[in-house]
Amino acid sequence: MTVVKSTLPEEALGVTGTALQETLVDLLGLSLVGKQAHWNIVGPRFRSIHLQLDEVVATARAHSDTVAERAAALGVSPDGRPETIAATFALPGTKDGWLRDTEVVELMVSVLGTAVGRLRERIEATEKADPVTQDLLITITAELEKQRWMFQAENHPRDGASS
C-alpha cells in the first residue's frame, strides 16, 4: 500500500530510498554504540568523554528522525525496528563490559570514520537522484566529521609527537 506518492521518478526513488534507509540504520546503531560506551566508560577522562558521547547520541538521534521523515515524505516507509537494525547494522560495535577511556576514543574515531565513509558514498549516489536528500546527507556528514575530530583530539599524544 502506497500512502504517499513521491515526486521523484521510480529509479531515483529507489536510489534515494536505499540511501535514506541505510543512513537511518547507521544513525540508530551509532546512537546505541554511543550509549553503550557512555554507560561503560571508565578512566581518568570519564566525565569529559561521557558527556561527549551524549552529544554524539543526541546528534545521531536527531538526524535519524530527520532522515526517517525525509524517507516518509518521499513515500518510502522508514524501518527502524530493532530486528532491522540488528540484521543490517554495519558499523564497528563495542565489546562487552567496561571500556577504558582510551578504548572508547579509539572506538568512536573508528565508528564515526566508517559512518562518514558510508555517508560519502550515499552523497555521491544521490547527487543526481535527489539533491535534496544529498544536501541532508552532506549536513549529517559534517556533524559526524566534527564529532570524529573531537574524539581524535582526545588521544593526541602529550609529548607533542604527531600520529
Side-chain angles (χ1 to χ4, degrees):
M1 168 173 94
T2 301
V3 176
V4 178
K5 294 278 189 190
S6 177
T7 57
L8 296 177
E10 197 64 34
E11 185 178 336
L13 182 61
V15 169
T16 303
T18 297
L20 289 166
Q21 179 60 37
E22 289 174 353
T23 301
L24 178 62
V25 168
D26 283 358
L27 290 170
L28 291 173
L30 174 61
S31 74
L32 295 172
V33 168
K35 269 303 179 188
Q36 183 67 19
H38 172 88
W39 296 321
N40 286 283
I41 187 172
V42 295
R45 295 179 296 157
F46 164 82
R47 182 158 173 73
S48 64
I49 297 170
H50 182 80
L51 295 173
Q52 188 176 352
L53 288 164
D54 271 341
E55 290 177 26
V56 171
V57 170
T59 296
R61 288 180 178 169
H63 284 303
S64 67
D65 190 52
T66 303
V67 165
E69 289 176 353
R70 176 70 185 151
L74 293 174
V76 176
S77 177
D79 188 354
R81 296 173 298 153
E83 57 270 26
T84 301
I85 306 308
T88 60
F89 184 64
L91 301 179
T94 63
K95 66 177 188 173
D96 289 342
W98 302 111
L99 301 166
R100 295 289 310 165
D101 51 3
T102 53
E103 291 177 300
V104 170
V105 169
E106 290 170 6
L107 170 67
M108 294 310 295
V109 168
S110 176
V111 171
L112 290 163
T114 302
V116 164
R118 291 169 55 83
L119 277 162
R120 287 189 174 280
E121 291 171 5
R122 294 179 202 128
I123 288 168
E124 188 175 324
T126 56
E127 180 179 12
K128 287 190 172 56
D130 184 24
V132 176
T133 295
Q134 182 193 42
D135 185 57
L136 172 60
L137 299 178
I138 290 168
T139 299
I140 296 167
T141 301
E143 288 287 327
L144 296 186
E145 284 179 330
K146 177 182 172 186
Q147 290 294 332
R148 184 172 183 267
W149 157 61
M150 291 180 174
F151 278 106
Q152 282 182 308
E154 285 282 348
N155 272 356
H156 193 274
R158 292 180 188 209
D159 63 5
S162 59
S163 55

